Amino acid sequence: MLSNQKWYRVDDTYLRRVDARLRAVPGCAQPAILPWPRILRDGKLVHHEEDYNRQYLQKSDFLVLDRKPFAKFGRAHGRSKVEIADLFHLRTKKLFCVKRWNGSSTMSHLLAQASVSAQLLRMLPAYANELVRQVQRRWPSRSAPANAEDFLQGVSFVYVIGTKHRPKDCSLDMLPVFTKVNMAKHLDRLQGAHFTAEICWTQML
């Protein structure tokens, strides 16, 4: 396995443990996830993440968080911006992180988005409060949660992976070794932050 410009030999006992860890990740049964159509951009039909997420603007039980980054880290942190997630589903309290499958680098970004956000939700009150604020703005008639800590109870993350394969033909077994090992690492981070994770494949039409 090549990592950080160095080659590593990984024994198959460890890989079997990684595979077992990934097989334990449940699929996302609810809510139903939309397929990923091509949209005309600059005269070309393309699959674009922003267009995919915008499909959920008309869904009454979804909040679109894409392009709404938290940016209150301050000047000392380089004016950093972090997206909490791409989507939030109210009834199931699931945060969806969306990426199309086109290589290990893209998957690394997807995995880091969830685990970094999970750690910030637990460790940075202002970050968690921002999620609560956006939920309250989206559904003003709903009873407001007592506080962010209470709201986070039952919240989970979902990795949404766009692929040209039919979802029923997809499994984590198709991922390369680098991505599998990386995913196992990030799943441990999510678990350490007291969040669970699910996987969802959406077909790119």
Side-chain angles (χ1 to χ4, degrees), residues 27 53 108 152 201:
N53 293 328
S108 293
L152 290 178
W201 306 89

Side-chain angles (χ1 to χ4, degrees), residues 74-119:
R75 189 176 297 176
H77 301 284
R79 302 192 184 277
S80 298
K81 296 181 180 181
V82 177
E83 285 186 357
I84 297 174
D86 291 300
L87 306 165
F88 174 75
H89 184 251
L90 180 63
R91 182 174 57 81
T92 60
K93 296 184 74 173
K94 292 179 180 180
L95 288 163
F96 294 83
C97 298
V98 179
K99 280 287 179 290
R100 57 181 295 182
W101 165 250
N102 64 357
S104 294
S105 61
T106 304
M107 289 299 97
S108 293
H109 186 93
L110 172 71
L111 298 170
Q113 181 185 12
S115 61
V116 168
S117 191
Q119 291 172 3

